[in-house]
Coordinates of all heavy atoms in Angstrom, one line a residue:
G1 N -0.8 -3.1 14.3 CA -2.2 -3.2 14.3 C -3.0 -2.2 13.6 O -2.4 -1.4 12.9
D2 N -4.2 -2.0 14.0 CA -5.1 -1.0 13.4 C -4.6 0.3 13.6 O -4.7 1.2 12.8 CB -6.5 -1.2 14.1 CG -7.2 -2.5 13.4 OD1 -6.7 -3.0 12.3 OD2 -8.3 -2.8 13.9
S3 N -4.0 0.6 14.8 CA -3.6 2.1 15.1 C -2.4 2.4 14.3 O -2.1 3.6 14.1 CB -3.3 2.2 16.6 OG -2.3 1.4 16.9
D4 N -1.7 1.5 13.6 CA -0.5 1.7 12.8 C -0.9 1.4 11.3 O -0.2 1.1 10.4 CB 0.7 0.9 13.2 CG 1.3 1.4 14.3 OD1 1.1 2.7 14.6 OD2 2.2 0.8 14.9
A5 N -2.2 1.7 11.0 CA -2.6 1.1 9.6 C -2.0 2.1 8.6 O -1.9 1.6 7.4 CB -4.1 1.2 9.5
W6 N -1.6 3.2 8.9 CA -1.0 4.1 7.9 C 0.5 3.7 7.5 O 0.9 4.1 6.5 CB -0.9 5.6 8.5 CG -0.2 5.7 9.8 CD1 -0.6 5.5 11.1 CD2 1.2 5.9 10.1 NE1 0.3 5.5 12.1 CE2 1.4 5.8 11.5 CE3 2.4 6.0 9.2 CZ2 2.8 6.0 11.9 CZ3 3.5 6.2 9.7 CH2 3.8 6.3 11.1
V7 N 1.1 2.9 8.4 CA 2.5 2.5 8.2 C 2.8 1.9 6.8 O 3.7 2.3 6.2 CB 3.0 1.7 9.4 CG1 4.4 1.2 9.1 CG2 3.0 2.5 10.7
D8 N 2.0 0.8 6.6 CA 2.2 0.0 5.3 C 2.2 0.9 4.2 O 3.1 0.7 3.3 CB 1.2 -1.1 5.2 CG 1.4 -2.2 6.2 OD1 2.5 -2.3 6.8 OD2 0.5 -3.0 6.6
D9 N 1.3 1.8 4.0 CA 1.1 2.7 2.9 C 2.3 3.7 2.8 O 3.0 3.9 1.7 CB -0.1 3.5 2.9 CG -1.3 2.7 2.5 OD1 -1.2 1.7 1.8 OD2 -2.4 3.1 3.1
V10 N 2.8 4.1 4.0 CA 3.9 5.0 4.0 C 5.3 4.3 3.6 O 6.0 4.9 2.8 CB 4.2 5.7 5.5 CG1 5.4 6.5 5.6 CG2 2.8 6.7 5.6
L11 N 5.4 3.1 4.2 CA 6.6 2.5 4.0 C 6.7 2.0 2.4 O 7.8 2.0 1.9 CB 6.8 1.1 4.8 CG 6.9 1.5 6.3 CD1 7.1 0.1 7.1 CD2 8.4 2.3 6.5
S12 N 5.6 1.6 1.9 CA 5.5 1.2 0.5 C 5.9 2.4 -0.4 O 6.2 2.1 -1.6 CB 4.1 0.6 0.1 OG 3.2 1.6 0.2
S13 N 5.8 3.6 0.0 CA 6.0 4.8 -0.8 C 7.5 5.1 -0.8 O 7.8 6.2 -1.4 CB 5.1 6.0 -0.4 OG 5.7 6.4 0.8
M14 N 8.3 4.6 0.0 CA 9.7 5.0 0.1 C 10.6 3.8 0.1 O 10.3 2.7 0.0 CB 9.9 5.7 1.6 CG 9.6 4.7 2.7 SD 10.0 5.5 4.3 CE 8.7 6.9 4.3
D15 N 12.0 4.1 -0.3 CA 13.1 3.2 -0.2 C 13.5 2.7 1.3 O 13.9 3.6 2.0 CB 14.3 3.8 -1.0 CG 15.4 2.8 -1.0 OD1 15.3 1.6 -0.6 OD2 16.5 3.2 -1.5
V16 N 13.2 1.5 1.5 CA 13.5 1.1 2.8 C 14.6 0.0 2.9 O 14.9 -0.5 3.9 CB 12.3 0.3 3.5 CG1 11.2 1.4 3.7 CG2 11.9 -0.8 2.8
S17 N 15.4 0.1 1.8 CA 16.6 -1.0 1.8 C 17.6 -0.6 2.7 O 18.3 -1.6 3.1 CB 17.2 -0.9 0.4 OG 17.6 0.3 0.1
H18 N 17.8 0.6 3.2 CA 18.8 0.9 4.2 C 18.2 0.8 5.7 O 19.0 1.0 6.6 CB 19.2 2.5 4.1 CG 18.0 3.4 4.4 ND1 16.9 3.4 3.6 CD2 17.8 4.2 5.5 CE1 16.2 4.4 4.1 NE2 16.6 4.8 5.2
M19 N 17.0 0.4 5.9 CA 16.3 0.5 7.2 C 16.0 -0.9 7.6 O 15.7 -1.9 6.9 CB 15.1 1.1 6.9 CG 14.3 1.6 8.2 SD 12.6 2.2 7.8 CE 13.0 3.5 6.5
K20 N 16.1 -1.1 9.0 CA 15.7 -2.3 9.6 C 14.4 -2.0 10.3 O 14.3 -1.0 11.0 CB 16.7 -2.8 10.7 CG 18.0 -3.2 10.0 CD 19.0 -3.9 11.0 CE 20.3 -4.4 10.4 NZ 20.0 -5.4 9.4
I21 N 13.4 -2.9 10.1 CA 12.1 -2.6 10.5 C 11.6 -3.7 11.5 O 11.7 -4.8 11.2 CB 11.1 -2.5 9.3 CG1 11.5 -1.3 8.4 CG2 9.6 -2.4 9.7 CD1 10.8 -1.4 7.0
I22 N 11.0 -3.3 12.6 CA 10.5 -4.1 13.6 C 9.0 -4.0 13.8 O 8.7 -2.8 14.1 CB 11.3 -4.0 15.0 CG1 12.7 -4.3 14.9 CG2 10.7 -5.0 16.1 CD1 13.5 -4.0 16.2
T23 N 8.3 -5.1 13.7 CA 6.8 -5.0 13.9 C 6.6 -5.7 15.3 O 7.0 -6.9 15.3 CB 6.1 -5.6 12.9 OG1 6.4 -4.9 11.6 CG2 4.5 -5.5 13.0
L24 N 6.1 -5.2 16.3 CA 5.9 -5.7 17.6 C 5.1 -6.9 17.5 O 5.4 -7.9 18.3 CB 5.3 -4.7 18.6 CG 6.3 -3.8 19.5 CD1 7.2 -3.1 18.5 CD2 5.6 -3.0 20.4
M25 N 4.1 -6.9 16.8 CA 3.2 -8.1 16.7 C 3.9 -9.4 16.0 O 3.3 -10.5 16.2 CB 1.9 -7.8 15.9 CG 1.1 -6.8 16.6 SD -0.5 -6.3 15.8 CE -1.3 -7.8 15.8
D26 N 5.0 -9.1 15.4 CA 5.8 -10.3 14.9 C 6.7 -10.7 15.8 O 7.4 -11.9 15.6 CB 6.5 -9.9 13.6 CG 5.6 -9.5 12.4 OD1 4.4 -10.0 12.4 OD2 6.0 -8.8 11.5
C27 N 6.8 -10.1 17.0 CA 7.8 -10.7 18.0 C 7.3 -11.7 19.0 O 8.1 -12.1 19.8 CB 8.3 -9.4 18.9 SG 9.2 -8.1 17.8
V28 N 5.9 -11.8 19.0 CA 5.2 -12.5 19.9 C 4.1 -13.3 19.3 O 3.7 -13.3 18.1 CB 4.6 -11.7 21.1 CG1 5.7 -10.8 21.8 CG2 3.3 -11.0 20.6
E29 N 3.6 -14.2 20.1 CA 2.4 -15.0 19.6 C 1.1 -14.3 19.9 O 0.8 -13.9 20.9 CB 2.2 -16.4 20.3 CG 1.2 -17.3 19.9 CD 1.1 -18.6 20.5 OE1 2.1 -18.9 21.2 OE2 0.1 -19.4 20.4
V30 N 0.5 -13.8 18.8 CA -0.6 -13.0 18.9 C -2.0 -13.7 19.0 O -2.0 -14.9 18.6 CB -0.7 -12.0 17.6 CG1 0.4 -11.0 17.6 CG2 -0.9 -12.8 16.3
V31 N -3.0 -13.0 19.6 CA -4.4 -13.7 19.8 C -5.3 -12.7 19.1 O -5.2 -11.6 18.9 CB -4.6 -13.8 21.2 CG1 -3.6 -14.8 22.0 CG2 -4.7 -12.5 22.0
E32 N -6.5 -13.4 18.7 CA -7.6 -12.6 18.1 C -8.2 -11.6 19.1 O -8.3 -12.0 20.3 CB -8.5 -13.5 17.5 CG -8.0 -14.2 16.2 CD -9.1 -15.0 15.5 OE1 -10.2 -14.6 15.5 OE2 -8.8 -16.2 15.2
E33 N -8.7 -10.5 18.7 CA -9.5 -9.7 19.5 C -10.7 -10.4 20.1 O -11.3 -11.3 19.4 CB -9.9 -8.5 18.9 CG -8.8 -7.3 18.7 CD -9.4 -6.0 18.3 OE1 -10.4 -6.0 17.9 OE2 -8.6 -4.9 18.4
E34 N -11.1 -10.1 21.3 CA -12.2 -10.8 21.9 C -13.2 -9.9 22.4 O -12.9 -8.7 23.0 CB -11.6 -11.6 23.1 CG -12.6 -12.5 24.0 CD -12.0 -13.3 24.9 OE1 -11.2 -12.6 25.8 OE2 -12.4 -14.5 25.3
I35 N -14.5 -10.2 22.1 CA -15.6 -9.5 22.6 C -16.2 -10.2 23.8 O -16.8 -11.1 23.5 CB -16.6 -9.2 21.6 CG1 -16.0 -8.5 20.3 CG2 -17.7 -8.3 22.1 CD1 -15.4 -7.2 20.6
V36 N -16.0 -9.8 25.0 CA -16.6 -10.5 26.1 C -18.1 -10.1 26.6 O -18.5 -9.0 26.0 CB -15.7 -10.5 27.4 CG1 -14.2 -10.9 27.1 CG2 -15.6 -9.0 28.0
E37 N -18.7 -10.7 27.3 CA -20.0 -10.4 27.7 C -20.2 -9.1 28.3 O -19.2 -8.6 29.0 CB -20.5 -11.4 28.8 CG -21.9 -11.3 29.3 CD -22.2 -12.2 30.5 OE1 -21.3 -12.8 31.0 OE2 -23.5 -12.2 30.8
G38 N -21.1 -8.3 27.7 CA -21.4 -7.0 28.1 C -20.6 -5.9 27.4 O -20.9 -4.7 27.4
M39 N -19.6 -6.3 26.6 CA -18.7 -5.3 25.9 C -19.4 -4.9 24.6 O -20.0 -5.8 23.9 CB -17.5 -6.0 25.6 CG -16.4 -5.1 25.0 SD -14.9 -6.0 24.6 CE -14.1 -6.2 26.2
E40 N -19.3 -3.7 24.3 CA -19.9 -3.2 23.1 C -18.8 -3.0 22.0 O -17.7 -2.7 22.2 CB -20.4 -1.6 23.3 CG -21.6 -1.5 24.1 CD -22.1 -0.1 24.1 OE1 -22.0 0.6 23.1 OE2 -22.7 0.3 25.2
D41 N -19.2 -3.6 20.8 CA -18.3 -3.5 19.7 C -18.7 -2.3 18.8 O -19.6 -1.7 19.1 CB -18.6 -4.8 18.8 CG -17.4 -5.2 17.8 OD1 -16.4 -4.4 17.9 OD2 -17.5 -6.1 17.2
D42 N -17.6 -2.0 18.0 CA -17.9 -0.8 17.0 C -18.8 -1.2 16.0 O -18.3 -1.5 14.8 CB -16.6 -0.3 16.5 CG -15.8 0.5 17.4 OD1 -16.5 1.0 18.6 OD2 -14.6 0.8 17.4
E43 N -20.1 -1.4 16.1 CA -21.0 -2.0 15.3 C -21.0 -1.0 13.9 O -21.0 -1.5 12.7 CB -22.4 -2.1 15.7 CG -22.5 -3.2 16.9 CD -23.8 -3.3 17.4 OE1 -24.7 -2.6 16.9 OE2 -24.1 -4.1 18.3
H44 N -21.1 0.3 14.2 CA -21.2 1.1 13.1 C -20.0 1.1 12.1 O -20.0 1.0 10.9 CB -21.4 2.7 13.5 CG -21.4 3.7 12.5 ND1 -22.4 3.8 11.5 CD2 -20.5 4.6 12.1 CE1 -22.2 4.8 10.7 NE2 -21.0 5.3 11.0
D45 N -18.7 1.1 12.9 CA -17.4 0.9 12.0 C -17.5 -0.3 11.3 O -17.0 -0.4 10.2 CB -16.2 1.0 13.2 CG -16.2 2.5 13.6 OD1 -16.8 3.4 13.1 OD2 -15.4 2.7 14.6
H46 N -17.9 -1.4 12.0 CA -17.9 -2.7 11.2 C -18.8 -2.8 10.1 O -18.5 -3.3 9.0 CB -18.2 -3.8 12.3 CG -17.1 -4.1 13.1 ND1 -15.9 -4.6 12.7 CD2 -17.0 -4.2 14.5 CE1 -15.1 -4.8 13.7 NE2 -15.7 -4.6 14.8

């Protein structure tokens, strides 16, 4: 996810042919982030 945004760039910069890679979000059925009533979104970041 977003907290691992650095990973793709790092992996793309190296030879990973010897490596097995597991992405947790690929192991399950994911759902979209939800903003419920009363919750503040990161408006500035967005």
